[in-house]
Amino acid sequence: METVTLNPLYHRGAECIGIFFEPAKAFNDIIKKIPEIKWSHTNQCWYIPCTREHYTHLSNALQNKAIIEKDALRQYLQQRKAIVPVQQQVSVKASTSKMMITHPLNEENLAAFTAFKNMLALKKYSKNTVRNYCNEFHHLLRLLNKRSVNDLNKQHIMSYLLWLLEKQGCSAMHAHTAVNAIKFYCEQVMKKGKEFYDLPRPKKPVKLPSVLAEEEVITLVQKTKNLKHRAMMMAGYSAGLRVSEIVNLKINDIDSKRMMIHNRAAKGEKDRMVPFSKKLLETLREYYKEYKPKEYLFEGQKGGMYSSRSIQLILKEAKVKAEVKKKGSTHMLRHSYATYLLEAGTDIRIIQELLGHNSIKTTMRYTHVSKKSLEKVESPLDKLKW
């Protein structure tokens, strides 16, 4: 019997199963009859889409005719199941696919990664935190090759962090995320207690948030002609919402009688109530008549939750039209909201509640960009007599 080896393959922008065997005309004729099979001149093999359905067709066609070697394919699929987020299982990027083929995790490290991801889910960490922690932990595991992550000691991890900073040129923020991911695995998954709490942490750079002037906000809104896009930007600025909170808003979260927005399951799984703008209410009523959303306040073209990435692109385009040169994403609207409240005399503790900050220290940074106290300071240049 012929021996057929199945290898994972990324070809023409899609995941495939590469079929390798010693050339034989009679066997080639059998292979050609498999549905949707194609020949790759680049890889010098036959290939089919990497789906259960296509694999079943292949398996049935080769039954009692060939011995199928599929260890490499099985390993790839195990990596895929553990590493690729569920929402991306249908489509995988070329870089991700090739990384899983060329740098697969060994069985022990793959089990460690699965346990790591499951614990993050049990602890109900935010999607962004899960993604960032998983990326950092996976990066470490790939570098280990056949070595088990469970064999690492504190000195190994310190060397790894130093390598990230000095050799890879990673930012302090990147290194902080790597530390947090490693700490989470050691303390929450491995139950090593506080053994790793004193890991060295590089200083975070102190950066002030970018804030829009009121005139710039007006121009941004006026230059945005699409009603839905305009309503989303107004919602972000009027209530200080994060981009994830904007896309998560549902129709029932808008309480027009009490003039409040019920922000459900925001960052940290915390609900909070935010005052609702009269101008936003007028815009939303007009928007509702035209778009008729069913569940989410802002829905995509095919229904369901709107894309966070799309909102970022909307603001980017609006900034170009409004000739706003300041750097910043949709979060800039939230910063501007907080700064406006501070300059209007709102108590810092109330601002903390409205923004949903755990620590007052996070809210205090807006005192550094507020002009309320700084505008009273007279420049020495203005005192010079010319």
Side-chain angles (χ1 to χ4, degrees):
M1 294 178 74
E2 289 284 347
T3 297
V4 175
T5 302
L6 305 183
N7 287 335
L9 192 69
Y10 197 91
H11 188 60
R12 295 186 178 274
E15 291 175 288
C16 304
I17 299 174
I19 306 166
F20 297 85
F21 56 91
E22 290 296 324
K25 185 180 182 308
F27 196 71
N28 226 29
D29 292 339
I30 296 172
I31 292 290
K32 286 180 181 179
K33 294 177 182 178
I34 297 171
E36 296 186 58
I37 195 164
K38 294 179 182 178
W39 174 258
S40 167
H41 289 283
T42 305
N43 298 285
Q44 287 295 297
C45 70
W46 292 98
Y47 69 95
I48 56 174
C50 187
T51 69
R52 183 179 294 275
E53 180 185 1
H54 288 89
Y55 173 79
T56 301
H57 287 315
L58 172 65
S59 182
N60 290 339
L62 299 183
Q63 192 172 17
N64 300 324
K65 297 181 180 69
I67 299 169
I68 301 177
E69 294 286 350
K70 52 187 178 183
D71 289 347
L73 179 63
R74 184 187 292 110
Q75 183 185 48
Y76 176 83
L77 294 175
Q78 287 172 342
Q79 304 280 320
R80 192 185 197 281
K81 184 178 179 181
I83 294 166
V84 182
V86 174
Q87 60 269 29
Q88 295 177 13
Q89 287 287 337
V90 176
S91 177
V92 172
K93 293 180 181 178
S95 56
T96 305
S97 179
K98 289 174 182 177
M99 176 268 294
M100 290 189 291
I101 294 171
T102 56
H103 296 93
L105 303 183
N106 62 49
E107 286 188 19
E108 196 167 352
N109 287 343
L110 188 62
F113 186 82
T114 302
F116 177 81
K117 195 164 70 167
N118 289 343
M119 185 60 75
L120 284 169
L122 286 172
K123 295 284 184 180
K124 292 191 174 181
Y125 276 52
S126 71
K127 289 180 181 178
N128 285 341
T129 302
V130 171
R131 183 183 66 248
N132 292 335
Y133 279 23
C134 284
N135 285 344
E136 291 305 322
F137 191 55
H138 184 232
H139 183 259
L140 170 62
L141 296 178
R142 287 206 325 268
L143 294 173
L144 295 176
N145 293 322
K146 295 181 180 181
R147 185 169 190 172
S148 170
V149 67
N150 299 327
D151 293 336
L152 299 184
N153 58 34
K154 184 176 175 180
Q155 192 58 47
H156 292 138
I157 293 173
M158 289 173 65
S159 298
Y160 171 67
L161 294 173
L162 194 63
W163 176 77
L164 284 178
L165 291 166
E166 295 185 351
K167 302 297 182 183
Q168 298 298 104
C170 292
S171 65
M173 187 65 73
H174 187 147
H176 271 275
T177 306
V179 171
N180 289 336
I182 294 167
K183 275 170 56 64
F184 183 89
Y185 179 72
C186 294
E187 297 166 8
Q188 301 296 329
V189 181
M190 294 298 292
K191 306 297 182 185
K192 288 188 175 181
K194 297 183 179 181
E195 180 183 349
F196 285 81
Y197 268 103
D198 61 342
L199 282 173
R201 287 174 176 265
K203 265 192 174 182
K204 285 184 181 180
V206 179
K207 293 184 179 180
L208 297 179
S210 237
V211 175
L212 295 165
E214 290 179 37
E215 297 80 7
E216 290 173 318
V217 175
I218 292 170
T219 310
L220 281 172
V221 173
Q222 289 178 340
K223 292 288 184 180
T224 306
K225 301 303 179 183
N226 183 288
L227 182 56
K228 183 193 287 186
H229 297 171
R230 189 162 68 247
M232 286 190 287
M233 279 205 297
M234 290 174 70
Y237 177 69
S238 70
L241 303 178
R242 301 177 177 92
V243 65
S244 59
E245 295 168 352
I246 297 173
V247 298
N248 273 298
L249 278 178
K250 294 188 177 180
I251 298 168
N252 293 335
D253 295 335
I254 306 300
D255 189 343
S256 57
K257 291 183 179 178
R258 295 182 62 231
M259 292 303 290
M260 300 292 284
I261 296 176
H262 191 166
N263 199 342
R264 302 174 193 274
K267 188 175 181 180
E269 298 295 317
K270 296 178 297 183
D271 285 13
R272 71 178 191 274
M273 302 296 291
V274 188
F276 188 31
S277 159
K278 292 178 181 177
K279 287 186 178 178
L280 177 59
L281 179 60
E282 293 171 6
T283 302
L284 286 181
R285 282 175 172 164
E286 184 184 352
Y287 155 76
Y288 187 84
K289 289 178 183 177
E290 181 174 335
Y291 285 87
K292 297 180 176 59
K294 295 178 181 178
E295 180 184 4
Y296 290 94
L297 184 61
F298 303 112
E299 296 182 336
Q301 292 182 349
K302 297 180 181 179
M305 189 186 297
Y306 203 83
S307 162
S308 297
R309 176 63 180 157
S310 296
I311 295 184
Q312 301 290 12
L313 294 175
I314 288 165
L315 182 68
K316 185 178 180 181
E317 185 180 339
K319 283 167 63 180
V320 172
K321 291 179 180 177
E323 298 183 353
V324 174
K325 305 297 183 184
K326 292 175 181 175
K327 291 183 178 180
S329 61
T330 308
H331 217 68
M332 183 191 288
L333 299 173
R334 178 174 162 87
H335 294 323
S336 305
Y337 164 82
T339 306
Y340 169 80
L341 291 182
L342 190 63
E343 292 174 350
T346 308
D347 185 87
I348 193 74
R349 292 285 181 184
I350 294 175
I351 299 175
Q352 179 190 357
E353 289 295 323
L354 292 173
L355 294 175
H357 288 159
N358 280 328
S359 171
I360 191 69
K361 290 181 181 178
T362 310
T363 317
M364 286 296 290
R365 63 180 173 162
Y366 294 110
T367 60
H368 298 293
V369 292
S370 170
K371 64 179 183 179
K372 185 178 179 182
S373 55
L374 295 177
E375 65 185 0
K376 296 177 184 178
V377 179
E378 187 177 1
S379 169
L381 182 65
D382 293 334
K383 287 196 172 185
L384 294 179
K385 295 180 181 180
W386 300 93

